């Protein structure tokens, strides 16, 4: 479950007459990852089956018809049996083609004429207010005609050039549009005068007749064409509904046939035989050989070429030095064959979180799948940052709705963290922080805090007695909250740092396993165990520093914690220096920053709680006591304020929680880049096999 499934490479050889049956069996097994054939001596690249051409031609025609009908598969759930599709395919194509051909042709003709009419109408709009035939705007030897829009009255400028030797027409409704007739000899000077008036040329459209009359006729024609186009579209809609199921089913059937028929392009071939290489899960190899034997007897030859090992092989001196542990394995890591596909197997919950792993990359064949760690830590960190029963309940409900109704991967990914993070938020909000919407159920610190004057409890607001201690397990009291986010900041920061140590230690241990798997235990000790020692030594040193710097104790060099810290730090650093050289010194501050990074868990919880405190005080402490209509105002402020906190909490807790997984945890053990297992498989949405 932690590692991808072990894979084996197989060789399948058979005669050409067995190829169609072999392809059907390969698809039905759903566990064959084909390796594209590279030409070898004696073999050439295979050719598609004879059925490929006919199926491709029909598929092309069918998709053209579907495009004419503007067919969208979304919302169509009806299915047809494969046999029914096979029996009716040719008739379906013929019937649909004959039914829609005339309708589509009519629709295209009307749309073409509609576009022409609308374009011509648009060109005439500016001229319809001027009582001149369109023929009057062209065909003069001695006259130049200017038509267009002006920003200011051009007549004074034109008169200055021509005196009274011109004729100007203005749009009766829009005085900014003019038609100016001037002597051609003076056209250049007139044009300069028009430019000063902000003239923009609008060419006169072609045609004959009065523009206003033409516009009126065009408007009637456009109205008629629009109505006819709507009728044709309605007819196409009827045809679409009538044939949608058969078109989608036939499309799917033909797509499958084409895919199968073209599979030989990924195989090697001779005149009489074919050869195929493929990866299969090792534990399914026996079942695969049995399936071939049951169907073909001895006619198909299957050979197990190799069972892929996890350990990488090193052939160069540099790689050998890695084995000796004198350099980091990652620095010159020899990648596993990229052709080894990665098949992961998750249970339901982990499978929902695999969305976040794939956002980064697919795990490699020889490394631990990080999805399990992400499934464990992501919702816990989210819940620690939110830590509130009220917000947690809303997150849980929204997440549940998303997981039960959302279809897209993105929404389901978001719903996953809302649901599981919300559950953890409710749990921690109830038992660890004891609050809901920033209001504690009962005072955790019993009124001794400086914030007591501005904080409220549900017990006080509701006037009921809520016990702080719910029950005891032995001598341990199970309470409604142990820590206040605003009053126990030091302790929460301290806990955050220890969470960081634990989280990073898990990452390094996983990294230790990964490196030992790929390069052997010696390389793992130098590369990862060294940092495990350093991190463990740092954790012990933290205890010493807390005692000295915070609790006021004196540094005792004979303290077992201090000595133990040095006993871990010194050999760990020595191993790291041997493995990585001076780079190890540079990475020490990085490890420290990794640990400190976890204080954001407390910081986000504090910021959210601080905002809740402010809104609660304004609504409950300042406005609500005024009574009357102010109660409604107080309720509005309470709701809007917490809605804002809810949204900010979702964004900040979601981003920071996943950041701690990607940046702090994954970098300790995860490389990624694996090839996803992609078996031959038929997925049917619109057809079914009987």
């Amino acid at each position: 479950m932690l590692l991808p499934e072990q894979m084996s490479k197989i060789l399948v050889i058979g005669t050409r007459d067995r190829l169609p049956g072999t392809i059907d069996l390969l698809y039905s097994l759903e566990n064959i990852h084909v390796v594209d054939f590279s030409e070898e001596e004696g073999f050439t690249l295979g050719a598609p089956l004879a059925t490929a051409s006919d199926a491709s031609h029909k598929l092309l025609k069918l998709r053209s018809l579907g495009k004419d009908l503007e067919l969208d598969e979304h919302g169509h759930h009806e299915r047809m049996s494969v046999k029914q599709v096979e029996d009716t395919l040719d008739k379906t194509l013929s019937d649909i083609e004959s039914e829609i051909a005339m309708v589509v042709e009519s629709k295209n003709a009307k749309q073409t004429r509609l576009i022409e009419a609308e374009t011509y109408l648009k060109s005439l709009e500016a001229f319809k207010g001027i009582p001149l035939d369109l023929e009057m705007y062209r065909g003069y030897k001695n006259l130049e005609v200017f038509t267009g829009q002006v920003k200011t009255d051009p007549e004074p400028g034109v008169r200055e050039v021509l005196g009274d030797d011109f004729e100007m027409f203005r749009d009766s409704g829009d005085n900014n549009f003019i038609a100016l007739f001037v002597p051609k000899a003076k056209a250049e000077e007139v044009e300069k005068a028009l430019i000063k008036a902000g003239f923009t040329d609008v060419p006169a459209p072609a045609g004959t007749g009065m523009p206003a009359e033409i516009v009126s006729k065009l408007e009637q024609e456009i109205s008629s064409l629009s109505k006819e186009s709507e009728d044709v579209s309605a007819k196409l809609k009827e045809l679409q509904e009538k044939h949608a199921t058969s078109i989608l089913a036939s499309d799917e059937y033909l797509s499958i046939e084409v895919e199968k028929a073209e599979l030989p392009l990924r195989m090697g071939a001779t005149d009489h035989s074919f050869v195929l290489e493929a990866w299969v899960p090792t534990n399914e190899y026996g079942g695969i050989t049995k399936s071939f034997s049951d169907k073909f007897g001895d006619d198909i030859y299957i050979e197990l070429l190799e069972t892929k090992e996890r350990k990488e092989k090193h052939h160069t001196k540099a790689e050998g030095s890695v084995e000796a542990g004198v350099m980091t394995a990652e620095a010159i890591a020899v990648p596993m064959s990229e052709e080894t596909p990665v098949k992961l197997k998750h249970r339901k919950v982990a499978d929902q979180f695999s969305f976040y792993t794939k956002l980064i990359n697919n795990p490699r064949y020889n490394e631990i799948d990080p999805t399990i760690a992400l499934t464990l830590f992501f919702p816990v960190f989210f819940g620690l940052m939110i830590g509130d029963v009220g917000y947690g309940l809303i997150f849980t409900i929204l997440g549940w709705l998303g997981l039960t109704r959302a279809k897209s991967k993105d929404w389901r990914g978001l719903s996953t963290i809302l649901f599981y993070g919300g559950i953890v938020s409710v749990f921690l909000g109830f038992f660890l922080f004891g609050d809901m919407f920033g209001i504690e159920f009962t005072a955790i610190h019993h009124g001794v805090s400086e914030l007591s004057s501005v904080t409220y409890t549900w017990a006080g607001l509701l006037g009921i007695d809520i016990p702080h201690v719910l029950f005891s397990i032995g001598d341990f009291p199970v309470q409604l909250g142990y820590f206040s986010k605003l009053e126990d900041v030091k302790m929460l920061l301290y806990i955050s740092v220890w969470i960081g140590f634990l989280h990073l230690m898990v990452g390094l241990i996983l990294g230790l396993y990964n490196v030992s798997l790929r390069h052997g235990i010696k390389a793992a000790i130098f590369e990862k165990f060294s940092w495990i020692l350093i991190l463990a030594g740092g954790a012990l040193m933290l205890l010493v520093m807390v005692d000295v710097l915070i609790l006021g104790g004196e540094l005792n060099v004979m303290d077992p914690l201090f000595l133990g810290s040095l006993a871990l730090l010194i050999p760990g650093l020595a191993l790291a220096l041997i493995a990585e050289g001076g780079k190890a010194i540079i990475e020490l501050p990085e490890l420290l920053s990794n640990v400190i990074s976890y204080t954001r868990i407390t910081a986000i919880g504090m910021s959210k709680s601080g905002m809740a405190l402010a809104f609660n005080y304004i609504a409950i402490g300042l406005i609500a006591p005024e009574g009357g209509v102010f109660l409604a105002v107080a309720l509005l402020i309470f709701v809007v304020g917490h809605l804002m906190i809810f949204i900010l909490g979702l964004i900040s807790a979601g981003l920071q929680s996943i950041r701690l997984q990607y940046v702090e945890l994954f970098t300790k053990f995860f490389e990624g880049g694996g090839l996803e297992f992609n078996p031959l498989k038929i997925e049917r949405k619109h057809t079914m096999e009987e």
Side-chain angles (χ1 to χ4, degrees):
M1 185 169 64
L2 294 178
L3 284 171
E5 289 193 41
Q6 190 169 39
M7 305 299 292
S8 294
K9 183 183 270 189
I10 64 171
L11 180 71
V12 181
I13 300 176
T15 55
R16 284 211 169 196
D17 61 324
R18 294 295 190 183
L19 184 54
T22 301
I23 291 174
D24 287 337
L25 181 58
L26 290 172
Y27 273 92
S28 67
L29 291 173
E30 298 187 351
N31 53 15
I32 308 290
H33 179 104
V34 174
V35 178
D36 290 334
F37 176 77
S38 58
E39 292 193 30
E40 299 174 2
E41 186 176 355
F43 290 93
T44 59
L45 200 61
L49 298 181
T51 56
S53 177
D54 182 57
S56 297
H57 177 72
K58 290 177 179 175
L59 182 60
L60 188 63
K61 181 184 289 186
L62 193 68
R63 288 184 175 172
S64 175
L65 294 173
K67 185 179 179 182
D68 288 337
L69 287 175
E70 299 177 355
L71 185 60
D72 181 5
E73 68 173 337
H74 182 72
H76 290 277
H77 304 295
E78 291 185 36
R79 292 187 171 199
M80 291 177 64
S81 70
V82 173
K83 186 174 186 314
Q84 187 180 1
V85 174
E86 290 174 340
D87 293 343
T88 61
L89 179 60
D90 290 334
K91 186 174 185 305
T92 298
L93 274 172
S94 176
D95 290 347
I96 295 175
E97 189 173 21
S98 61
E99 279 191 65
I100 74 169
M102 293 293 292
V103 181
V104 171
E105 186 178 342
S106 173
K107 180 186 177 184
N108 292 339
K110 291 183 188 308
Q111 286 186 337
T112 301
R113 175 56 195 153
L114 186 60
I115 292 171
E116 290 175 352
E118 287 176 340
T119 304
Y120 193 41
L121 176 64
K122 188 176 180 181
S123 69
L124 286 169
E125 284 291 339
F127 293 84
K128 68 181 180 181
I130 296 179
L132 290 176
D133 192 299
L134 289 177
E135 289 181 312
M136 300 292 290
Y137 290 98
R138 60 182 61 85
Y140 302 106
K141 289 184 179 179
N142 300 317
L143 285 179
E144 185 70 29
V145 182
F146 293 96
T147 54
Q149 297 282 349
V150 291
K151 293 182 179 178
T152 60
D153 186 2
E155 186 170 345
V158 174
R159 194 172 294 283
E160 186 177 331
V161 176
L162 300 174
D164 295 332
D165 191 17
F166 68 93
E167 191 67 45
M168 180 181 292
F169 297 87
R170 299 175 188 267
D171 187 333
S172 57
D174 180 7
N175 286 325
N176 291 331
F177 186 80
I178 63 169
L180 179 62
F181 295 76
V182 301
K184 187 161 286 187
K186 294 288 186 178
E188 188 172 339
E189 296 176 59
V190 170
E191 186 175 10
K192 291 179 181 176
L194 288 174
I195 291 173
K196 290 181 181 177
F199 177 76
T200 303
D201 183 47
V202 179
T208 60
M210 298 299 289
E213 296 175 1
I214 301 173
V215 166
S216 177
K217 291 179 181 177
L218 283 174
E219 288 175 342
Q220 292 178 11
E221 183 183 3
I222 289 172
S223 176
S224 176
L225 286 170
S226 298
K227 177 66 172 58
E228 291 172 6
S229 293
E230 289 176 3
D231 293 341
V232 173
S233 296
K235 178 64 177 174
L236 282 175
K237 185 69 176 177
E238 290 178 12
L239 293 173
Q240 182 192 94
E241 293 176 358
K242 178 181 177 182
H243 296 294
T245 301
S246 58
I247 290 177
L248 292 172
S250 300
D251 186 310
E252 183 174 281
Y253 169 79
L254 289 171
S255 298
I256 293 169
E257 290 302 303
V258 170
E259 182 181 329
K260 284 183 175 180
E262 292 181 347
L263 183 61
L265 291 172
R266 305 178 66 184
M267 302 178 182
T270 64
D271 292 339
H272 305 289
S273 63
F274 69 89
V275 58
L276 169 75
E277 286 188 356
W279 289 104
V280 301
T282 301
N283 59 4
E284 296 181 29
Y285 173 70
I288 292 169
T289 56
K290 184 176 184 305
S291 297
F292 272 93
S293 176
D294 291 344
K295 184 167 184 176
F296 300 107
D298 295 331
D299 291 350
I300 298 294
Y301 172 75
I302 299 181
E303 179 181 341
L304 179 63
L305 296 178
E306 65 171 319
T307 296
K308 196 68 176 181
E309 297 179 356
R310 310 284 185 179
K311 188 172 183 178
E312 296 180 5
K313 295 179 180 178
H314 307 287
H315 304 291
T316 67
K317 185 177 179 180
E319 292 167 4
S321 65
V322 171
E323 294 286 3
V326 296
M327 293 180 64
T328 65
E330 290 179 353
I332 56 170
V334 179
M336 288 290 291
S337 170
E338 295 180 354
E339 297 177 354
T340 308
V342 174
K343 183 181 181 184
L344 303 173
K345 192 172 185 179
H346 299 129
R347 293 185 182 277
K348 182 179 178 181
V349 176
D351 189 54
Q352 292 169 333
F353 279 92
S354 65
F355 168 81
Y356 292 97
T357 300
K358 292 179 179 177
L359 281 181
I360 295 295
N361 217 323
N362 210 40
R364 298 176 67 186
Y365 176 68
N366 55 356
E367 70 178 355
I368 287 176
D369 176 10
T371 305
I372 303 300
L374 194 144
T375 303
L376 294 174
F377 289 115
F378 190 7
V380 171
F381 286 8
F382 184 91
L384 280 168
M385 293 179 191
I386 298 297
D388 185 287
V389 174
Y391 304 136
L393 280 173
I394 299 174
F395 282 133
T396 304
I397 293 170
L398 291 177
W400 176 77
L401 289 173
L403 287 175
T404 54
R405 301 187 179 184
K407 300 296 182 186
S408 77
K409 291 182 180 178
D410 294 343
W411 281 112
R412 290 189 65 79
L414 177 61
S415 300
T416 297
I417 188 55
L418 287 181
F419 180 71
Y420 294 103
I423 290 175
V424 177
S425 298
V426 171
F427 181 81
L428 296 179
F430 195 79
F431 291 106
L432 188 63
F433 301 111
D435 66 357
M436 183 168 68
F437 295 120
I439 301 173
E440 295 173 355
F441 291 106
T442 180
I444 295 176
H445 295 295
H446 303 285
V448 299
S449 167
E450 295 178 356
L451 295 174
S452 297
S453 61
V454 294
T455 57
Y456 304 93
T457 64
W458 287 107
L461 292 173
L462 300 176
I464 58 175
D465 181 33
I466 300 177
H468 185 58
V469 178
L470 298 175
F471 55 89
S472 296
I473 301 176
D475 295 332
F476 180 76
V478 177
Q479 300 177 181
L480 273 176
Y482 293 87
F483 303 108
S484 165
K485 298 188 189 81
L486 294 177
E487 299 174 71
D488 297 307
V489 175
K490 288 182 180 177
M491 179 55 71
L492 291 174
L493 286 172
Y494 185 67
I495 293 173
S496 296
V497 170
W498 277 104
I499 290 173
F501 276 116
L502 174 64
H503 200 223
L504 293 172
M505 186 61 77
V506 170
L508 287 170
I509 291 173
L510 294 177
L512 177 76
Y513 181 79
N514 280 344
V515 176
S516 67
L517 198 64
R518 293 181 201 147
H519 310 290
I521 189 64
K522 187 176 180 180
I525 289 173
F526 279 96
E527 188 177 344
K528 294 296 180 184
F529 189 65
S530 57
W531 289 101
I532 290 175
L533 293 176
I534 292 171
L535 185 64
L540 294 182
M541 186 62 76
L542 173 67
L543 295 174
V544 175
M545 291 298 103
V546 168
D547 185 48
V548 173
L549 300 177
I550 298 178
L551 301 180
E554 293 184 359
L555 178 63
N556 180 4
V557 296
M558 299 307 293
D559 184 342
L561 286 177
F562 184 75
L563 294 175
S565 170
L566 293 180
L568 293 170
L569 283 171
I570 293 173
L573 186 58
L575 289 171
L577 284 170
I578 293 173
E580 304 177 30
K583 183 183 172 187
I585 301 297
I586 299 174
E587 289 183 357
L588 275 176
E590 183 180 329
L591 185 63
L592 178 62
S593 71
N594 289 153
V595 174
I596 294 174
S597 177
Y598 289 83
T599 57
R600 72 188 64 218
I601 295 174
T602 296
I604 290 175
M606 282 178 58
S607 63
K608 183 181 63 60
S609 187
M611 293 176 66
L613 174 69
F615 284 116
N616 292 338
Y617 179 68
I618 293 171
I620 301 173
L622 297 180
I623 299 179
E626 299 296 327
V629 70
F630 288 99
L631 285 173
V633 176
L635 180 61
L636 179 64
I637 292 175
F638 184 87
V639 172
V640 172
H642 283 283
L643 178 61
M644 186 172 71
I645 297 170
F646 175 82
I647 295 172
L648 292 175
L650 168 62
I651 296 172
S652 58
L655 290 177
Q656 298 304 329
S657 297
I658 195 64
R659 181 201 178 281
L660 288 174
Q661 313 308 316
Y662 287 161
V663 178
E664 317 300 349
L665 179 67
F666 278 27
T667 54
K668 299 296 176 290
F669 72 99
F670 182 64
E671 291 184 15
L675 177 67
E676 187 172 357
F677 184 69
N678 184 24
L680 298 175
K681 185 178 181 181
I682 300 300
E683 294 184 358
R684 299 185 185 276
K685 292 171 62 179
H686 304 290
T687 59
M688 55 187 178
E689 291 182 312
E690 293 178 336

